[in-house]
Amino acid sequence: MKPAITLSLAAAVAGIFAAVPAAAQSQAPIKVGFMLPATGTYANLGNMIENGFKMYVNEQGGKLGGREIQYFKVDDESDPAKATDNVNKLIKRDQVDVVVGTVHSGVALAMAKVARETKTLLIVPNAGADVITGAMCAPNIFRTSFTNWQPAYAMGKVAADRGHKKIMTITWNYAAGNESVKGFQEGFEKAGGKVTESLTLPFPNVEYQALLTQIASQKPDAVYAFFAGGGAVKFVKDYVAAGLNKTIPLYGPGFLTDGTLEAQGQAAQGMITTLHYADNLNTPRDNTFRLNFAKAYKTNADVYAVQGYDAAQLLATGLKSVNGDFSKRDQMLKAMGSATIDSPRGKFTLSPAHNPIQDIYLREVKGINNEVKGVAIKALADPARGCKQS
């Protein structure tokens, strides 16, 4: 009789499980792979992105779409030469479901190439390389940050509106810097200005003195600079130490002063920048976010924390649409593409190329804040040049 009872029990149990959806049967965690800088000039930026992402997950009780989240990490070292090997550690070795990264545009380009080839879900929480949601766009590649073009184009319009006619630009000679300068030039020259010279130095070189001497000798109306992290700290301080700020205003996208103000100190005061986030937006959503972030991590949130937070929000939207069943990829990707993200920066949607359509704020440095002064351009969509995705 015992075998018969065992068979009956087995049949009953099998019947129960057959009636349960596959997603509910599988309680395996969703594997999230962070490929972010943990060392070097961008280390703090990577840390803020990771903290923002994890804070949103923690707010949901540690689950997205009913699934536990398991984290894996690789330091990308901001080194494009190591990017392919590093992202494959997450995809092939750790077999992650989604990759989140990164900061450096050159590294992100290599990551996007691998994501396209392997069909791995990639969410970019910072790197603004235009081509990622341009010619390299794909159904499985999303961005919760910006393109290099967006804040730069907006600043070009602002600089022209402020009466400047001739401007010099300066940046690191890499994808992010070159695209930012190009976006600024497009916006500035469309509004009647002229970029007279574009100065560059190798990434992550911070020996600016020779280039600052060139600026002093040419006396442009203003300077547009793209630097971030430790490089931005030194550039702003060196610019002021050279006395250039007294006669030649310095402009840039918000990365020049985001996450850097305490280190820049007095040198950054009064600087005007453009970005998709600002301090003291004073909306209920942002106020709650900033308070919770300060409590959790004992530091003030910045744009990088917001972008990481929204990367988790976007993933949550996809997982919720399929009740946590990651195998329903097409349905999940469609839901992510049509999402409206209730971001601390303000609600945004995604373009067909999967890049945020968002307000670009005009900001002014006051103390240790990038205070909002207004909106430079509302609901600015990147042109997504070369994207064939419909």
Side-chain angles (χ1 to χ4, degrees):
M1 291 299 291
K2 285 184 180 180
I5 292 172
T6 303
L7 288 172
S8 297
L9 285 171
V13 169
I16 291 169
F17 274 92
V20 177
Q25 291 182 35
S26 174
Q27 294 302 314
I30 295 292
K31 294 182 176 182
V32 173
F34 287 125
M35 184 161 153
L36 295 165
T39 53
T41 192
Y42 287 158
N44 183 60
L45 282 57
N47 185 54
M48 294 295 277
I49 289 167
E50 180 179 337
N51 287 346
F53 189 102
K54 288 182 173 178
M55 189 173 91
Y56 182 80
V57 174
N58 291 339
E59 287 175 354
Q60 313 311 308
K63 295 183 179 182
L64 300 181
R67 302 282 292 277
E68 297 280 355
I69 303 298
Q70 185 178 6
Y71 299 109
F72 297 81
K73 294 171 64 171
V74 168
D75 179 4
D76 73 17
E77 302 177 62
S78 295
D79 187 348
K82 298 179 181 178
T84 300
D85 286 343
N86 278 334
V87 75
N88 277 323
K89 289 176 185 176
L90 293 171
I91 294 171
K92 295 180 179 179
R93 181 192 67 190
D94 300 326
Q95 298 185 317
V96 299
D97 299 299
V98 53
V99 174
V100 177
T102 187
V103 172
H104 188 297
S105 284
V107 177
L109 288 171
M111 293 173 68
K113 184 175 185 293
V114 174
R116 282 168 61 94
E117 292 168 353
T118 62
K119 309 298 184 188
T120 302
L121 175 57
L122 171 65
I123 303 177
V124 180
N126 188 74
D130 295 342
V131 72
I132 290 173
T133 49
M136 291 183 73
C137 70
N140 58 306
I141 296 176
F142 295 82
R143 181 153 40 196
T144 58
S145 50
F146 59 95
T147 60
N148 292 321
W149 180 91
Q150 282 176 303
Y153 179 87
M155 181 50 84
K157 178 180 181 298
V158 168
D161 289 347
R162 292 169 75 88
H164 301 303
K165 300 298 183 184
K166 295 181 178 180
I167 286 182
M168 291 177 69
T169 66
I170 181 170
T171 185
W172 283 312
N173 187 13
Y174 76 142
N178 293 331
E179 289 180 352
S180 182
V181 163
K182 189 176 178 182
F184 172 82
Q185 185 169 358
E186 184 180 337
F188 186 54
E189 296 190 345
K190 184 178 180 181
K194 177 67 177 176
V195 171
T196 58
E197 189 163 358
S198 297
L199 306 176
T200 64
L201 70 167
F203 177 87
N205 191 320
V206 292
E207 298 306 318
Y208 305 116
Q209 198 54 53
L211 299 179
L212 293 176
T213 300
Q214 281 187 249
I215 292 169
S217 67
Q218 294 192 33
K219 299 182 175 63
D221 296 342
V223 167
Y224 175 84
F226 177 96
F227 296 104
V233 171
K234 188 171 187 298
F235 179 78
V236 170
K237 294 177 92 168
D238 285 1
Y239 194 89
V240 171
L244 294 174
N245 63 311
K246 294 175 182 176
T247 55
I248 306 172
L250 176 62
Y251 299 114
F255 317 108
L256 202 57
T257 58
D258 244 80
T260 57
L261 288 178
E262 289 191 19
Q264 286 165 337
Q266 187 60 36
Q269 297 307 301
M271 277 188 58
I272 300 293
T273 60
T274 45
L275 202 63
H276 49 286
Y277 186 61
D279 295 317
N280 296 336
L281 291 177
N282 200 27
T283 62
R285 181 73 171 111
D286 189 46
N287 290 344
T288 299
F289 166 77
R290 293 181 73 88
L291 179 62
N292 291 343
F293 193 90
K295 285 180 178 178
Y297 302 109
K298 312 305 181 208
T299 190
N300 289 326
D302 58 17
V303 67
Y304 306 105
V306 171
Q307 293 168 170
Y309 188 83
D310 291 342
Q313 286 209 76
L314 182 61
L315 179 60
T317 298
L319 287 171
K320 185 177 179 181
S321 74
V322 294
N323 295 315
D325 187 352
F326 203 84
S327 67
K328 297 180 179 178
R329 273 179 57 93
D330 289 347
Q331 183 181 335
M332 186 177 76
L333 296 180
K334 184 177 180 181
M336 291 171 69
S338 60
T340 297
I341 301 298
D342 188 13
S343 171
R345 78 188 83 171
K347 290 184 179 180
F348 69 84
T349 58
L350 295 178
S351 71
H354 295 164
N355 190 74
I357 301 171
Q358 57 195 339
D359 293 348
I360 305 297
Y361 297 103
L362 183 65
R363 304 121 44 93
E364 181 179 1
V365 175
K366 291 185 178 178
I368 57 169
N369 288 320
N370 288 287
E371 299 272 2
V372 63
K373 288 179 64 70
V375 177
I377 301 181
K378 284 196 68 67
L380 182 61
D382 179 84
R385 296 179 176 108
C387 178
K388 304 301 183 186
Q389 187 168 304
S390 60

